[in-house]
Each structure stands twice: as C-alpha cells, then as structure tokens.
Amino acid sequence: MNGNKTTAISAERRTQRGISVLAFFVPAFIMLVLFIIRGIYPFGDRSFLFSDMYHQYMPFLSEFVHKIKAGEGLSYSYNVGIGSNFLALYVYYVASPFNWLVFLLPESLIMEFMSYLVILRIGLMGLTFSIYLRKTFGKADPAVILFSTCYALSGYLAAYNWNVMWLDTFALLPLVALGTVCLLKEKKFFLYTITLFLSVYSNYYIGFFTCIFVFLLFFVYEICRWGGWKKLFADLGRIALFSLLALALIVLALIPLFVLVITA
C-alpha cells in the first residue's frame, strides 16, 4: 500500500514538473516563432528593439555596462543626453537583476541580449502563473498550461513588451499573489516578502501598482474568508509588517549604490 502511494506521489510530482516546464516553454516558443516569422536576428537582419526600447533603454544598459567595466561611479553620466543623474536612470530603467546577465556577453551583443531577454521573461511569466494556479487550486491539470500561456501572452504583454523594465514585475505578480495568500492563510511570510521586494526593486513604478494589487487582494480575501473584525485587523497588521520589511530590504539593496555615489 505504501509503495503504491509513493509511486502515485512520484507520478504526480513528475506531472507537476512537466506542466511547469511546458508552461515556461510554450509561450517562450510562440514568441520565438514570431521572431522567426519577423526575421529577427539571427533569423534575419531585423531587430526586435523599437520605440524607446531602442532609443533609450538599450543606450542606458550600454552605459551601465561601460561604467561597471570602466570602474566609474554611477552618480552621473555625460553620455546620456547633455548629462544626467545616472543613478536615477539605473533605479528606474536598469535595476532588473536579469540585466546583470549582460556581463556574460560581449558589448556588441547588447541589442540581441535585450531582444531574447524578452523571450526569457515571457517564459517566466508562464512558469510563475502555472505555479500560482497549481498551488492555489491543488491540481496538476494540463489546462494550467493554457491559462499560463494566456497570461504570458496577454494584451498587456502585447502592448508593453517594449517597456522591458516593467516585465519583471509582471512575471513576479503571480508569486506575489501566492505569497499574499500564504501569508494570510498559513502565516508564512518568506515568499511574500521576497517577491514583493524583487517586484518593487526591479521597477518601483509598476511595483507601486503591485502594492495596490496586494491591497485589493487582501480585502477580497478577507471578504471571501470572513472571520470577524479581530482577524481582519490581525491580518492587516501582518500584511503591513512584511510589506514594510520588503521595502526595508530595497533600501538595504540600494545602499551600495549610494556608497558608490558618495565615494565617486
């Protein structure tokens, strides 16, 4: 009996892993097919970069790479417009942890790096949404792949994929939602704190809307699982505490940057 139970659990885990893998690769593959159809390099001589992604975001990332490799301070740059506070540009446009992967490649491939990082992020959107669906509903259903793909290739992504600094937050949103539920239901704070920290750190503008989403999700959860005013205020205090902790981690993460500015 125990052997059959262990076998069933192992089979379920394999199914869950398979669904997660497909939830990542299906939307990423669809986007890659679009790259091929549109002749995006190396499948043609065209670039995926357009609008501000080409005229601003790539030059900002290129300047960031140059400054790090040259050992220059991040406080100011004379290569952006007629001169600009580069630290402010970094915090808004370049703070994504994924951007550090650019140092694994030659500077000549920054344009291609930004293009294919979009595919990676789309895959991660499908993966994180599949994790949210599986953990929330407790089912390893192939329909998870469909809904994860719809999330990863939604109208928001179609309209704003060129605003690459916003995509990390969109990929993290399902995990923030899952972390919120875990915090309220099971009093587990780690997932919520870390994902909210990463969301706001990656881009504070869209991260602000993530905080509004958490606020709304909190009240929806409390209404649907009403347990009285005492529980409401206890949960509200818990959410507030770990939200402040996430914001405190952002301050700690930015301290090295301010040290660079002071010592530059």
Side-chain angles (χ1 to χ4, degrees):
M1 180 69 68
N2 289 336
N4 293 335
K5 184 177 181 180
T6 301
T7 301
I9 293 174
S10 298
E12 183 178 357
R13 288 177 177 174
R14 286 196 298 270
T15 301
Q16 291 177 350
R17 286 195 293 268
I19 288 174
S20 295
V21 169
L22 288 174
F24 175 89
F25 280 105
V26 169
F29 178 75
I30 291 174
M31 196 66 185
L32 180 61
V33 170
L34 292 176
F35 271 42
I36 296 172
I37 293 173
R38 299 298 296 172
I40 305 298
Y41 182 87
F43 306 104
D45 57 359
R46 305 180 69 181
S47 170
F48 181 73
L49 277 63
F50 62 96
S51 188
D52 289 347
M53 190 177 178
Y54 178 81
H55 296 288
Q56 295 186 44
Y57 311 155
M58 188 191 72
F60 294 159
L61 181 59
S62 180
E63 178 66 5
F64 170 66
V65 171
H66 167 75
K67 281 184 166 293
I68 294 298
K69 289 186 175 181
E72 298 179 1
L74 297 178
S75 58
Y76 201 84
S77 174
Y78 293 97
N79 297 322
V80 179
I82 59 175
S84 177
N85 178 347
F86 191 77
L87 180 60
L89 293 177
Y90 171 83
V91 170
Y92 186 79
Y93 293 102
V94 194
S96 168
F98 286 115
N99 284 332
W100 288 89
L101 296 175
V102 73
F103 293 101
L104 301 176
L105 301 171
E107 289 188 46
S108 59
L109 294 178
I110 288 181
M111 184 180 296
E112 288 71 25
F113 169 80
M114 291 189 69
S115 297
Y116 285 89
L117 200 57
V118 172
I119 293 180
L120 173 63
R121 284 164 164 153
I122 288 174
L124 289 175
M125 291 173 197
L127 174 61
T128 57
F129 197 73
S130 72
I131 293 173
Y132 170 78
L133 292 176
R134 287 194 296 104
K135 295 293 184 180
T136 301
F137 298 101
K139 294 182 179 180
D141 196 305
V144 168
I145 302 171
L146 172 63
F147 289 108
S148 298
T149 301
C150 290
Y151 176 80
L153 298 176
S154 65
Y156 176 91
L157 189 281
Y160 295 109
N161 58 66
W162 54 278
N163 281 314
V164 288
M165 67 281 185
W166 294 354
L167 300 186
D168 287 12
T169 304
F170 194 60
L172 285 164
L173 185 61
L175 297 183
V176 174
L178 180 61
T180 304
V181 174
C182 288
L183 179 60
L184 296 174
K185 186 177 181 180
E186 304 172 14
K187 298 180 175 59
K188 296 179 179 179
F189 64 88
F190 182 79
L191 179 63
Y192 173 76
T193 305
I194 295 300
T195 53
L196 184 63
F197 155 68
L198 290 173
S199 180
V200 180
Y201 178 80
S202 296
N203 187 266
Y204 63 84
Y205 175 71
I206 298 298
F208 170 76
F209 292 101
T210 299
C211 294
I212 295 177
F213 171 81
V214 169
F215 180 76
L216 296 175
L217 177 60
F218 166 77
F219 281 103
V220 170
Y221 180 89
E222 292 297 324
I223 292 171
C224 293
R225 293 178 175 268
W226 180 250
W229 291 103
K230 184 177 179 180
K231 178 180 179 298
L232 171 67
F233 286 110
D235 288 344
L236 181 60
R238 194 175 295 113
I239 280 285
L241 173 62
F242 291 106
S243 296
L244 290 174
L245 178 58
L247 297 178
L249 290 175
I250 295 171
V251 174
L252 290 175
L254 292 176
I255 284 177
L257 293 177
F258 288 109
V259 171
L260 286 174
V261 171
I262 294 172
T263 58

